[in-house]
Amino acid sequence: MRKLLFQGLAKPPLTEAGPTDGEIAALAAELDHLARSRLGRSLAIREVDAGSCNGCELEINALGNAFYDLERFGLRFVASPRHADVLLVTGPVTHNMREALLRTYDATPNPKWVVAAGTCALGEGVFAESYACQKGGVSAVIAVDLYIPGCPPTPTDLLKGLLALITKNTGPSGQVR
Ligand code: SF4
């Protein structure tokens, strides 16, 4: 036991170093600046899994891990839609999740943005023809302000999408279909 303890103390941490790619840091810093200038604070995001395979969630979760560590740039994932500016929706919208998506949308205060992330959320991809899914993806249920394609989209794709969202001249649509 003592041997293991000393071995552990002598070894360097297993966590990888943060990204050396300046693109990620530059994107996140720009996002933070825009969110603060347009909203007066950081961007609060509520993620909604509307029946995804969890591939998209893994990439979204990566935004908050020690590698990307995006909370330092003012990007926050919140537990309640009542605290959110953005609904980030993944998955094809299964029939079981349609009502939950609508309720989450209704619980999010206006003005709000809806981002559909991943090929399935666009109404395409491997689950598009499934008997268990809503045809047409997220936009068949609620108005979508921005699509981020990819199966799954990478953390960089997600960041670029969020940046495009708040740099658009139009405001949130706030419509239910
Ligand atoms: S887009 Fe791809 S990774 Fe995302 S939920 Fe669909 S199949 Fe899974």
Side-chain angles (χ1 to χ4, degrees):
M1 188 65 197
R2 271 180 64 168
K3 188 178 163 193
L4 278 176
L5 179 65
F6 285 118
Q7 276 178 348
L9 287 173
K11 282 182 184 167
L14 293 176
T15 310
E16 292 175 56
T20 50
D21 178 1
E23 186 189 13
I24 299 272
L27 276 170
E30 194 178 349
L31 187 59
D32 181 37
H33 169 72
L34 281 165
R36 285 179 198 283
S37 60
R38 289 198 60 180
L39 302 173
R41 54 181 166 69
S42 40
L43 195 69
I45 302 166
R46 173 72 161 89
E47 206 265 325
V48 182
D49 176 348
S52 105
C53 75
N54 281 357
C56 286
E57 275 62 39
L58 287 172
E59 300 302 317
I60 289 168
N61 286 345
L63 287 172
N65 70 17
F67 191 79
Y68 290 98
D69 190 20
L70 288 183
E71 282 219 9
R72 68 196 150 127
F73 298 111
L75 185 79
R76 282 188 308 125
F77 286 95
V78 291
S80 167
R82 298 189 194 287
H83 303 154
D85 305 301
V86 177
L87 286 184
L88 180 59
V89 188
T90 60
V93 189
T94 58
H95 296 310
N96 281 347
M97 284 303 295
R98 188 177 191 280
E99 181 66 27
L101 177 59
L102 278 168
R103 288 193 194 184
T104 307
Y105 182 89
D106 288 342
T108 309
N110 285 317
K112 57 194 164 200
W113 285 290
V114 175
V115 177
T119 308
C120 289
L122 275 64
E124 300 164 8
V126 288
F127 303 118
E129 298 305 320
S130 167
Y131 68 92
C133 298
Q134 165 80 51
K135 297 284 177 276
V138 178
S139 64
V141 183
I142 53 178
V144 173
D145 296 287
L146 185 89
Y147 295 101
I148 303 177
C151 181
T154 64
T156 308
D157 294 335
L158 292 163
L159 264 181
K160 284 181 178 171
L162 291 168
L163 193 57
L165 182 74
I166 58 173
T167 50
K168 276 196 334 179
N169 288 326
T170 53
S173 55
Q175 301 292 315
V176 179
R177 288 189 180 157

